[in-house]
Amino acid sequence: MKDVSVGICGLGTVGGGTFNVLTRNAALIAGRAGCNIRITRVASRRNRDDIDLGGVAFSTEIFDVVNDPAVDVVVELIGGYDTARELVMTAIANGKHVVTANKALIAVHGNEIFAAAEKAGVVVAYEAGVAGGIPVMKAIREGLAGNRIDWIAGIINGTGNYILTEMRAGRAFADVLKEAQDLGYAEADPTFDVEGIDAAHKLTILASAGFGVPLQFEKAFTEGISSITPYDIAHAEQLGYRIKHLGIARRRDDGIELRVHPTLVPQSHLIAQVDGVLNAVLVEGDAVGQTMYYGPGAGDEATASAVIADIVDVARIVASGSSLRVPHLGFAPEALENLDVLSMEDIQSAYYLRITALDRPGVLAKIASILSEHGINIESIMQKESEVQDGRIPVIILTHTVQERQVNRAIEELEALADTDGPVVRIRAENFN
Ligand code: HSE
């Protein structure tokens, strides 16, 4: 069997996991790859005397890996945008294949990186960047290649899902976040997790590979989970829904929806059962119907599993000298369609609205009339006398699917009513029909 040489940049959570699994399962992986995958060089900006590298060459200069002529595959696990971009672009220029877990890098610089890689005849593989250990990019780019994909929706940030899950049991937000950080799930900057930026990176990649459009991260809409209250979690549950932080991408004739926000999902749907650090991605294809990919979205060896699957793919190319490869976004570059991201006013969704109303006659009628004037159909309404406080009562309404523009106008009018108090709480809802 031929040897394929791998150099790893970064020995953090995922780097350490990748080193361990590649070493532990070397014989099994060689059997699958049809070649021996040898780690010949490891670099980390921080000295890692604490890790036993079994004699593999180590350096604190990560560019040593991309400049080593003996390295066939560079595994980029340092994270971040700028140095990682330079590292990957240098690897490509040096004719090396790249495997990365860096979703931020791909979402933001992927168009440039893929173009350079195609020109150089190398592959930049990024399975581990999206939903950790779940092989969802492989499923979308290859397993569903016969389908027109209509929409993708997923729980694609483990930290956020862990927090929302624990909050259902009444735990405080900050407490749970700290625990997720200690377990190695959170990003270096955890606001990326809780504000939906990390999920938007992943959604951008999913949408591009699903619909065949260039990466457009800068146009993705993000709304985080930090303003979700236990009150709304409990009331959504009473309506038969659960609040999840979802990334949703929908392909329409006039553009694509690309949005990350807290979302009510029916408790009866499988995705409502996805708890803790687990991720799940739903994909609707015109031929297959609805499919769901479920598993660990973060963690050392779980993410290493996806990194190694990419290393195996690339090692087969290196060992066989094959020029056959799956295009980076699953579509030939000339087949990508320039569909723009739609503004949030143009998206379609159902809504959970919580209005604080003054407890007096006729208020409900006024609320209903504003909604009806804007063409908003009510699915259910909840108001409990036991929740009256200081003459105010929360009115909770679940709407049918409607254009966001109509809901924005209705909310403006509801907030202007003399019979309501404070802002209207709005959380989007999906039924996955
Ligand atoms: N911070 C990410 C998460 C890690 O919590 O899902 C995996 O991308």
Side-chain angles (χ1 to χ4, degrees):
M1 270 203 272
K2 280 194 179 164
D3 281 3
V4 172
S5 162
V6 170
I8 299 179
C9 298
L11 267 185
T13 305
V14 181
T18 300
F19 186 89
N20 290 340
V21 179
L22 264 180
T23 308
R24 186 173 77 232
N25 292 344
L28 183 144
I29 293 167
R32 289 205 167 110
C35 56
N36 292 311
I37 295 172
R38 305 234 183 260
I39 306 171
T40 53
R41 216 174 227 290
V42 174
S44 157
R45 288 170 290 192
R46 193 156 60 86
N47 220 326
R48 296 306 306 261
D49 302 335
D50 52 319
I51 300 183
D52 176 10
L53 293 174
V56 174
F58 176 84
S59 119
T60 50
E61 175 44 71
I62 47 174
F63 280 83
D64 284 354
V65 174
V66 290
N67 291 323
D68 180 345
V71 167
D72 301 304
V73 185
V74 171
V75 182
E76 183 278 303
L77 301 173
I78 60 168
Y81 298 99
D82 297 335
T83 311
R85 175 181 165 276
E86 202 189 327
L87 191 81
V88 168
M89 292 302 275
T90 310
I92 293 169
N94 290 349
K96 299 185 192 304
H97 299 281
V98 176
V99 172
T100 177
N102 191 336
K103 53 265 163 159
L105 176 74
I106 298 300
V108 174
H109 298 299
N111 295 324
E112 176 199 13
I113 289 172
F114 294 157
E118 270 139 27
K119 208 161 155 213
V122 296
V123 171
V124 176
Y126 53 89
E127 178 70 71
V130 183
I134 308 172
V136 65
M137 296 316 306
K138 189 120 185 152
I140 290 177
R141 296 193 315 168
E142 300 177 50
L144 300 177
N147 288 261
R148 184 196 68 228
I149 293 177
D150 294 324
W151 56 260
I152 299 172
I155 297 171
I156 43 181
N157 182 270
T159 303
N161 200 41
Y162 191 73
I163 292 172
L164 284 179
T165 304
E166 294 293 316
M167 279 177 75
R168 280 207 321 271
R171 289 186 61 193
F173 180 90
D175 227 34
V176 192
L177 174 59
K178 168 83 177 57
E179 192 174 290
Q181 285 176 292
D182 292 345
L183 289 166
Y185 301 148
E187 295 302 301
D189 177 353
T191 59
F192 273 41
D193 296 297
V194 296
E195 296 307 333
I197 299 156
D198 175 71
H201 287 145
K202 295 165 183 168
L203 184 71
T204 298
I205 300 169
L206 286 165
S208 287
F211 309 144
V213 297
L215 297 149
Q216 302 176 69
F217 167 73
E218 68 290 352
K219 296 181 192 157
F221 171 82
T222 54
E223 186 180 297
I225 55 170
S226 48
S227 56
I228 294 294
T229 61
Y231 183 92
D232 289 314
I233 292 177
H235 283 73
E237 294 277 334
Q238 287 172 25
L239 288 166
Y241 287 81
R242 184 149 294 160
I243 299 180
K244 291 290 182 189
H245 201 197
L246 286 196
I248 299 173
R250 185 171 278 114
R251 187 194 199 292
R252 299 185 356 200
D253 292 340
D254 52 346
I256 61 167
E257 295 183 8
L258 196 61
R259 48 193 171 99
V260 176
H261 48 71
T263 312
L264 270 72
V265 299
Q267 279 165 6
S268 56
H269 196 288
L270 211 47
I271 203 162
Q273 312 309 319
V274 177
D275 278 339
V277 72
L278 291 162
N279 281 196
V281 181
L282 284 167
V283 183
E284 169 96 6
D286 68 332
V288 70
Q290 215 172 97
T291 56
M292 188 169 106
Y293 308 87
Y294 168 82
D300 52 2
E301 293 205 355
T303 309
S305 168
V307 170
I308 294 168
D310 275 346
I311 295 175
V312 167
D313 272 353
V314 173
R316 286 193 185 119
I317 293 173
V318 174
S320 65
S322 165
S323 59
L324 273 183
R325 48 207 61 181
V326 179
H328 287 101
L329 289 172
F331 287 77
E334 62 276 15
L336 293 178
E337 212 180 331
N338 267 322
L339 266 183
D340 215 346
V341 176
L342 295 161
S343 89
M344 279 306 278
E345 287 244 300
D346 291 323
I347 70 134
Q348 287 173 353
S349 177
Y351 295 83
Y352 164 104
L353 303 174
R354 173 159 59 83
I355 303 145
T356 305
L358 303 192
D359 190 21
R360 57 191 186 205
V363 180
L364 209 51
K366 286 185 195 163
I367 292 173
S369 132
I370 289 177
L371 294 178
S372 127
E373 278 160 24
H374 290 279
I376 301 168
N377 202 355
I378 297 174
E379 185 185 297
S380 53
I381 186 158
M382 186 163 66
Q383 177 193 297
K384 292 181 186 158
E385 202 53 34
S386 59
E387 293 188 346
V388 175
Q389 250 189 351
D390 302 329
R392 284 156 178 76
I393 185 163
V395 178
I396 293 169
I397 290 171
L398 200 63
T399 76
H400 282 277
T401 298
V402 63
Q403 201 166 31
E404 181 135 326
R405 177 174 286 107
Q406 291 161 270
V407 172
N408 288 343
R409 298 295 94 81
I411 289 177
E412 280 167 21
E413 288 181 30
L414 288 169
E415 289 177 345
L417 275 182
D419 309 86
T420 62
D421 191 21
V424 172
V425 171
R426 167 247 306 270
I427 308 174
R428 297 172 187 89
E430 279 294 327
N431 285 303
F432 306 113
N433 299 319

